[in-house]
Amino acid sequence: MSEAQFDGVRTAIIANKVDGIVREMTNTLLRTARSAVINSARDFSCAILTADDELLAAAEAVPVHVFGAQLQAQALRAAHPNMREGDAYIDNNPYIGNSHAADHTILVPVFVDGEHVFTAIAKAHQADTGNSVPTTYHAAAKDVYEEGAVIFPTVKVQSDYENIDDIIRICRTRIRVPSQWYGDFLASVGAARVAERRLKELVAKYGLDTIRNFTRDWLDYSENVMAKAIESLPAATLQNSGRHDAFDPYLPDGLDFHVKIEIKPQDGEIHVDLTENGPNVDCGLNLTEATTRAAVFAGVFNAIPATIPKNTGAFRRVTIDMNEGSAVGKPKFPHSCSVATTNVTDRLINCVGSAFAQLGEPYGVAEGAVGVGAGYAVLSGHDHRSSDEFVNQLCITANGGPGSAYADGWVTYGVPCTGGLMYRDSVEIDEIKIPIMYKHLRMVPDTGGAGKFRGGPSFEYAYTPKDEPISVIYPCDGQITPSKGVRGGNDGEPAAAWFETADGARRKLPNAVELVLQPGETIHGFDASGGGYGSPFERDPRLVLEDVLEGWETVEHATATYGVEFTMTADGLTVDEQATSRRRA
């Protein structure tokens, strides 16, 4: 990029306009979708790519959805070299670029004067995709055939702006909630068509040559920002390991993996090596190439204290080596990748981000809470109120975020792959859409991984069917191996869940759960919490006092863990500074 030709003001203006288009896509999909997982939990993403498959803008998209979206655009052009205006395509193929089969992606090529200029994508996690069991997280499936989802490898679904009815009928026949799916499909197509219209208006306003120059300049600028951020890092080779819990009976030994990161500030590059990891596993926990790349990018972005545009320009400065046929890499067909967006992806994001803490403060982050547990369960059954069958995913979990060198962990973090960008369900909306009743939802004090900056706390909840049995399926990592603290910070609390019978007896549930909950029976969930950053004794006593006053910590735990002594005065509870200094010494 020539500085003489670069117009920073124009580039900033158009970049914000393109971001605004993505936000309009997002608002369209959020307000028009049918599934609760989309219109309440916001488990979807929108983005704009260039005609040569580079991620240009994603605004507030979920990282695991879009940090590998360029692979889908590449697959689209390879399969359909003669695309035309008015075409739209559906893709959910985890073997050629999608995140996992449950993420249905609508891709719309945007043409100006007959030239393909952009590709608009709207990717939404479905409530049901025709799996052999009513869940989109089929952790037990050893291959795509046992998984059962309908796979669309960039299949044309609209021509001349009209639906191709054969494809629609396949989905409506094969998916358990056909009307709900069709509503979500129309919302996704609508979001992509909004982008098409707005991008055409953008080109009409500025001219095609100006827009071409902008896309080049914006991506080059983003690459330069990323390069400068890396140049400010110490040269180092970092190594870290992660572990996914055992899932009996299909992953009895768990899954261990290794990450090697080479920081090359002299070149402005980071190289991530994943080639020491083992082969695909015979269950649905394998990553896809898209989720592997997304996890590495997310971990790197979390760890570097700099504001960097999240697009292909920045990605150019991070190279990734991975094996084909690896559980942490690129999958080999037909191994199942049903849970590719969450469990192992979350562990890999944590592993990469926390590795940078080895450089010292202010680099890196602790590990965020993991666990797609009872608060993320897919529920299904018969709703007597409408006499319809239902399938919907709960998103009531909070899961505490990681402590960093600057801040405490986000309270409603979710899981690392979402980066706090999904929403949590409304209790009232859940109870309208699904025949369940929540008994309680509450934060749990003394649970965040202690540190100079603590992890987000745990959250507990309970729900029960109203009148008829419901199926409950979820694959909860994090009940054995907690999220780690870094630089002397404490680990977070592990997740847990219990089944309670109608007479009040309880039993602890395993990591992976598939059961039928009868009326009168209750699921109790306990979310994991985030790890802490830095020694708890380095935490500002004023912050510890605030935690106590706000209910995040009890006095007893604050004194025992953070070494802060308190005294009661006429003005209320205060820090006893002398006693605190003695205790911490």
Side-chain angles (χ1 to χ4, degrees), residues 52 141 167 170 259 265 310 412 488-489 517 535 545:
D52 52 355
I167 305 301
I170 288 171
V259 174
K310 310 303 189 292
T412 54
L517 198 62
S535 168
L545 174 62

Side-chain angles (χ1 to χ4, degrees), residues 244-511:
H244 186 285
D245 287 351
F247 271 22
D248 288 327
Y250 46 84
L251 195 70
D253 298 323
L255 179 65
D256 295 291
F257 61 90
H258 184 78
V259 174
K260 181 179 179 182
I261 303 169
E262 187 177 1
I263 303 170
K264 299 184 281 188
Q266 71 280 6
D267 300 324
E269 292 181 356
I270 292 173
H271 178 69
V272 179
D273 186 353
L274 302 173
T275 59
E276 295 181 23
N277 296 305
N280 286 130
V281 290
D282 291 331
C283 64
L285 296 172
N286 298 288
L287 298 190
T288 63
E289 182 180 0
T291 59
T292 300
R293 292 187 179 280
V296 170
F297 291 141
V300 170
F301 287 135
N302 289 346
I304 296 177
T307 301
I308 301 164
K310 310 303 189 292
N311 59 38
T312 291
F315 299 165
R316 294 170 186 165
R317 291 289 169 165
V318 180
T319 58
I320 306 169
D321 285 343
M322 68 181 80
N323 295 330
E324 185 170 2
S326 175
V328 183
K330 186 175 181 179
K332 188 172 182 179
F333 183 87
H335 284 281
S336 174
C337 308
S338 184
V339 195
T341 51
T342 52
N343 295 36
V344 179
T345 287
D346 290 331
R347 292 290 191 177
L348 181 55
I349 293 170
N350 278 341
C351 191
V352 172
S354 63
F356 281 80
Q358 298 169 26
L359 299 175
E361 194 173 332
Y363 303 110
V365 289
E367 294 190 349
V370 299
V372 181
Y376 277 134
V378 177
L379 306 185
S380 61
H382 179 79
D383 190 340
H384 74 283
R385 300 169 300 181
S386 62
S387 297
D388 290 332
E389 302 302 307
F390 72 89
V391 183
N392 251 315
Q393 183 181 355
L394 296 182
C395 290
I396 204 69
T397 284
N399 270 350
S404 71
Y406 301 96
D408 295 334
W410 198 333
V411 175
T412 54
Y413 179 64
V415 278
C417 66
T418 70
L421 286 164
M422 277 178 56
Y423 297 161
R424 288 181 61 251
D425 289 353
S426 157
V427 168
E428 292 80 8
I429 296 298
D430 273 359
E431 291 179 344
I432 290 171
K433 285 182 171 288
I434 308 170
I436 61 170
M437 180 179 69
Y438 286 103
K439 290 189 169 182
H440 63 258
L441 301 94
R442 55 187 173 233
M443 295 293 176
V444 185
D446 301 337
T447 53
K452 181 179 179 179
F453 289 100
R454 58 170 171 75
S458 296
F459 180 75
E460 63 180 3
Y461 46 86
Y463 55 85
T464 184
K466 285 182 178 177
D467 293 288
E468 296 192 48
I470 58 172
S471 165
V472 180
I473 303 177
Y474 64 83
C476 186
D477 186 22
Q479 296 199 51
I480 301 169
T481 308
S483 299
K484 300 174 190 173
V486 297
R487 304 205 57 73
N490 291 1
D491 293 347
E493 291 289 324
W498 296 267
F499 171 81
E500 181 181 307
T501 62
D503 61 6
R506 285 195 188 188
R507 62 178 171 86
K508 196 170 186 297
L509 291 169
N511 279 7

